[in-house]
Amino acid sequence: MAVKHNPTGIVHQGKKGGTTGCGVDTKKHSSHWVDSHQKITCDKNGCKN
């Protein structure tokens, strides 16, 4: 599953209401996050590998 951060357009591994693969809490500013089926574009450790 992937989650997209709307202000930046970066797609992370994870899901809305949890934590991304690179450790970002999607519950903070939850309106900025949407579940997505797009390719993961975050290059940080945990999302990309």
Side-chain angles (χ1 to χ4, degrees):
M1 181 57 115
V3 64
K4 182 177 180 180
H5 186 241
N6 282 328
T8 62
I10 297 174
V11 181
H12 298 264
Q13 180 177 320
K15 63 180 180 178
K16 186 173 178 176
T19 305
T20 66
C22 61
V24 178
D25 184 358
T26 63
K27 290 177 267 187
K28 291 181 182 176
H29 306 290
S30 63
S31 63
H32 292 185
W33 298 93
V34 292
D35 285 327
S36 173
H37 293 286
Q38 293 175 285
K39 183 181 178 198
I40 293 166
T41 58
C42 177
D43 288 331
K44 294 181 182 173
N45 195 14
C47 277
K48 226 13 177 180
N49 49 358

